[in-house]
Amino acid sequence: MQEIQARNALIVSCMRKAGYTGFGGDGLQAAQAPDNATALPAGAWGYLGTAVAGVQGFHPPKRALPRPTGPAAGSGEAYDSARVDCDRQAAERIGSPSGPGTELVGRLFDESVAATGRDTRVTAATGEWSACMTAAGFTADAPAALPERFRAAPDVTPAELATARADADCTGRSNLAGIWFAVLTGYQQQLIDRNAQALTAQKEAVRAQDAKLARLLAGDGS
């Protein structure tokens, strides 16, 4: 969010300096962020939240789309050229944390999730979850398969809501989510310990990036 705000401020300032005084952001602000309860309720860990399951199913929550922050600034070749140049300048000023560090974090996260999926504690809990779902009339070997069944539907259906409610109930009965996240935490801590030096360097790079974005925002992109 802070990066989007800083980028928006830099581009607005640049465009206005280029003579497009009516430019107000061109819809660059972020859409409304999801709240913790509905952002990602379903996954390999099962379904979190019976209340959410009964209204959202496996579809993501609908959020307000970004809206333009000001009147149209202009059009044509000169405008397009200025916009491209301002985008480039903003990207250069914002920069990004270390590429290798970011890649390492992503790789370690993927490794932790894969190890969690193979862990016998998780596979046993998933088996209990599957048996519970079958008893409720919804055949499924693993929770991650359920969202795929309904992904193509444009809107939530009664069948989807019923499946999601059963998923949430069976997740609670099997304690799948509790076991899954506890096991994930253990594997992630092991990976953190093994890669402490590189991860500490990445943490410092991210902190420096955050401080840089804060300075850019404080200066309103100037």
Side-chain angles (χ1 to χ4, degrees):
M1 178 67 73
Q2 190 178 38
E3 181 172 338
I4 293 174
Q5 292 173 338
R7 177 175 176 268
N8 186 54
L10 289 169
I11 293 175
V12 169
S13 176
C14 177
M15 290 294 287
R16 289 178 177 176
K17 288 178 180 178
Y20 298 97
T21 56
F23 187 84
D26 197 24
L28 290 173
Q29 79 276 22
Q32 179 186 359
D35 56 69
N36 290 336
T38 62
L40 191 63
W45 53 85
Y47 202 110
L48 300 175
T50 303
V52 175
V55 295
Q56 182 175 313
F58 298 99
H59 277 67
K62 294 184 178 180
R63 301 294 175 187
L65 296 175
R67 294 175 298 175
T69 59
S75 60
E77 184 175 347
Y79 171 86
D80 292 341
S81 177
R83 177 58 188 275
V84 169
D85 186 55
C86 287
D87 283 346
R88 177 188 58 77
Q89 291 184 41
E92 289 177 351
R93 291 193 63 184
I94 290 173
S96 63
S98 167
T102 301
E103 292 172 4
L104 174 64
V105 171
R107 178 171 60 80
L108 295 180
F109 177 78
D110 290 344
E111 288 181 12
S112 70
V113 171
T116 299
R118 295 189 299 266
D119 191 281
T120 55
R121 293 165 291 181
V122 170
T123 56
T126 301
E128 291 184 25
W129 173 91
S130 178
C132 176
M133 290 292 289
T134 299
F138 303 91
T139 303
D141 292 331
L146 293 181
E148 297 298 326
R149 295 184 185 179
F150 305 98
R151 186 182 302 277
D155 296 303
V156 179
T157 64
E160 178 180 346
L161 295 178
T163 305
R165 284 193 293 265
D167 188 350
D169 180 63
C170 289
T171 297
R173 290 176 181 272
S174 63
N175 193 28
L176 175 57
I179 294 171
W180 195 94
F181 283 109
V183 172
L184 177 70
T185 299
Y187 283 117
Q188 289 185 341
Q189 188 59 58
Q190 292 177 20
L191 291 169
I192 289 170
D193 293 342
R194 293 173 191 166
N195 297 272
Q197 184 174 355
L199 291 174
T200 298
Q202 175 65 3
K203 182 189 295 186
E204 293 304 317
V206 170
R207 286 177 177 171
Q209 177 72 359
D210 288 344
K212 181 179 181 180
L213 293 174
R215 290 194 299 271
L216 289 172
L217 285 171
D220 195 30
S222 59

